[in-house]
Amino acid sequence: MKEVAMPRATPGPPDGPSGEEPGADEKSATPQRGDGRPARRKLTHVTLPGCWGALLLACLSFTPSLLPRDGLIQGVISGITAAIGYGLGVLAAFVWRAFADREPRAPRRWAWRVFLVAAIVLLAVSIGFGQYWQYEIRKLMGVKDYSVLLAVLSPLIAALVLGALVVTGRGLRGAYRWAAKRLGRWIGPRAARGVSWILVVALAYAVVTGLLLDGFVGLANAAFSLRDTKTPEGVQQPMTSARSGGPGSVVPWDSLGWQGRSFAGTGPSTADIAKFVHHPADEPIRAYAGLASADDAEARAALAVKDLKRAGGFQRKNLLVVTTTGSGWVDPASVDSFEYLSGGDSATAAVQYSYLPSWISYLVDQSKARETGRALFDAVYEEWSKLPPDKRPRLFVAGESLGSFGGEAAFSGEFDLRNRTAGTLFVGPPNFNTLFREFSDHREAGSPEIQPVYKDGRTVRFADDPAAEIPPVGRPWEGSRVLYLMHPSDPIVWWSPRLIFNKPEWIAEAPGRDVLKSMFWIPFVTFWQVTADLPFSTGVPAGHGHTYTSEYVDGWNAVLRPAGITAHDLAELKKIIAAGD
């Protein structure tokens, strides 16, 4: 009997939502080679979840930060945050598949079309709002520089940064797979994967911190050490014994370094100060020791104090110890204001601890700032304490940025500052400063982080604009005065790794006078935005960011409490300081 072929049963609808037969998505998501093994993905391959993550975080990167930024910086920020978003999107998809217990599926064409339409709309809206916010920040700070070309190129820059970071991530993943495959020949697959991850992470860390970071710091150190042998234009060796490097000085002029020679060879003259105070003035004393002046921080501090004593600094009425920033820079606005307000009856001591500029030292030379700040103050204090109480000068401490970090290192807390100094002025303190964090974190309830009140303001106070009344208004501020000056828009003050995952109180509070109300915290995004603000913190007009000039006049006036200085005098001095900046 002839066999009749029976028709095959038609299968029911597949389990997956795509409407394709089971396994079709996996096959299309993971291309196969001719021998049945998985094919390598193309370098340009991207996943839809990753693209959604990149798109969302890229759009959020256009939200405002503390400082205005041009198209180049915006592109870099957008590219970095988009790369983070891409990684988070891929991770989220991986976790979802783990819970759903299924393999990757290739997205349908309509899903990509939806994404492309959404990308065009969302990016257009985000860029538009971003340009508006940047305009508002520039107007708030009086910034007029703006490049239309860089603004137009910003998306391209972001795409290049995103692509570079994604390729780097895939390179690390490829290295992991290569290592796991070879280790799998000798050990179990799980152990091979674990060891491979450890090896790849260790290698990446070694490359970034050892090869890249150390190499960059080494090159920067070589470049700036060469500059340290030169003298700034217009600066000449002093002809007075009141300055280090001058006649009779125990510190050779050639050893002071670039910043030391600028410090010793400039400043207001006796005639300038006399004209301001309307009576004869003394010649200010400035003592300084450079990196080439002695072998270590303690020896340099001892040498600076020896030169200070030689010049008669301990016989002056006011003695100032300054911890420098990075390359040994002392803000002339600070020391000049101190000398003017003290009528020239002053002496200042400072020591260099690095060749590197402040923003690099901020990252790699923090321990040197601490060591030098403590060594210099201790050396000055030791000599000062030997004097009869009625013969001692009033002892003050100052430091800006990393200099405030080093200046704090000599003290254990509020009462130590109060008992061993007549006054302190710290400006633009980094967020990691020990005492700054102690005073801010333990502020009185209800006082904002941008202007905290600590212990009723009895010793330590904070001000954005010291020309106005410094809170707590009406409370006694007797004895030694410790004043912190910090702008609400200063990224040096507010930057912290905690911004990655934790919303800071200064963003949750009412914004400062030069911060947009539109600024809000976003995980990952805000951290990179404020990080990008750091290198450009001084590239804004005075009174904003990390640029402090005339604030020193009112700050020192509050700390020094000089007699006979009127509001008109302070206004005139601000003009002098601003002109010399």
Side-chain angles (χ1 to χ4, degrees), residues 394 418 421-423 458-459 476-482 558-559 561:
R394 294 197 300 167
R418 184 183 185 92
T421 71
R458 62 191 182 189
T459 303
W477 196 14
E478 300 171 349
S480 177
R481 292 185 173 186
V482 178
V559 174
R561 289 167 283 181

Side-chain angles (χ1 to χ4, degrees), residues 193-248:
R193 289 193 294 268
V195 173
S196 297
W197 271 123
I198 294 174
L199 290 176
V200 170
V201 171
L203 177 63
Y205 179 81
V207 169
V208 172
T209 61
L211 181 62
L212 298 181
L213 182 59
D214 290 349
F216 168 73
V217 172
L219 289 174
N221 197 62
F224 287 104
S225 63
L226 179 63
R227 191 190 75 157
D228 211 53
T229 61
K230 302 178 181 179
T231 302
E233 185 178 355
V235 174
Q236 296 181 349
Q237 184 174 0
M239 303 303 295
T240 171
S241 61
R243 303 293 179 94
S244 289

Side-chain angles (χ1 to χ4, degrees), residues 264-327:
T266 60
S269 66
T270 304
D272 293 332
I273 299 174
K275 182 178 179 181
F276 169 72
V277 296
H278 309 295
H279 59 71
D282 296 311
E283 182 180 18
I285 294 172
R286 294 189 177 189
Y288 192 98
L291 276 175
S293 301
D295 294 332
D296 54 45
E298 189 172 317
R300 287 189 287 271
L303 186 63
V305 170
K306 183 177 180 181
D307 208 38
L308 181 69
K309 185 178 180 181
R310 171 203 61 81
F314 289 96
Q315 281 71 55
R316 293 302 175 91
K317 183 178 180 180
N318 303 285
L319 175 56
L320 175 62
V321 178
V322 177
T323 303
T324 65
T325 65
S327 57

